[in-house]
Amino acid sequence: MTQVKAAVLSGAAPAAIGPYSQGVRTGHTLYISGQLGLDPDSGEMVSGGAGAQAARAMQNVGAILEAAGLDWSTVVRTTIYLSDMADFGEVNQIYAGFVSAPYPSRACVAVAALPRNGLVEIEAVAVDPAGDR
């Protein structure tokens, strides 16, 4: 039987804090689980507020992309979860430093709370232009 999905793991991103994979590849598509602003070495939330957490979350997503042989140019969809929509401008500015045109489609939503009392969580979907690896 052909394998339908494969886990993608990166030591440069925090380990999963529950029963999920950092990323899952199926066919040409990579689904990256929501990444918090956790430092992968300490496992602790970075200090400095929503902007610092957004930057770390984007770096964590980038590490998982790299583990799959991809980069930010292959990302077609992101979702940003904020514990406070007042942080939208700051987070948007950080986000813009990682993506380029044509930009991924995106949703940004406010949530009541995030794991580990995070201020920002970011998930992504990427498509491998080279196909199955």
Side-chain angles (χ1 to χ4, degrees), residues 36-38 45-59 80 82-84 86-96 98 118-122:
L36 297 164
L38 294 173
M45 197 69 68
V46 297
S47 61
Q53 287 187 26
R56 183 70 251 179
M58 294 292 280
Q59 292 166 358
I80 300 174
L82 299 174
S83 63
D84 186 343
D87 294 326
F88 177 83
E90 181 180 12
V91 170
N92 199 49
Q93 186 175 17
I94 299 297
Y95 177 89
F98 286 82
L119 303 174
V120 181
E121 183 171 356
I122 301 171

Side-chain angles (χ1 to χ4, degrees), residues 3-77:
Q3 185 175 357
V4 175
K5 63 182 180 178
V8 174
L9 304 172
S10 171
I17 55 175
Y20 60 89
S21 298
Q22 290 173 328
V24 172
R25 180 190 291 274
T26 181
H28 301 272
T29 307
L30 174 65
Y31 298 91
I32 297 176
S33 295
Q35 296 297 304
L36 297 164
L38 294 173
D39 179 280
D41 295 325
S42 69
E44 298 297 320
M45 197 69 68
V46 297
S47 61
Q53 287 187 26
R56 183 70 251 179
M58 294 292 280
Q59 292 166 358
N60 293 341
V61 170
I64 299 165
L65 286 165
E66 186 176 320
L70 303 175
D71 60 36
W72 278 101
S73 71
T74 63
V75 174
V76 297
R77 172 78 177 158

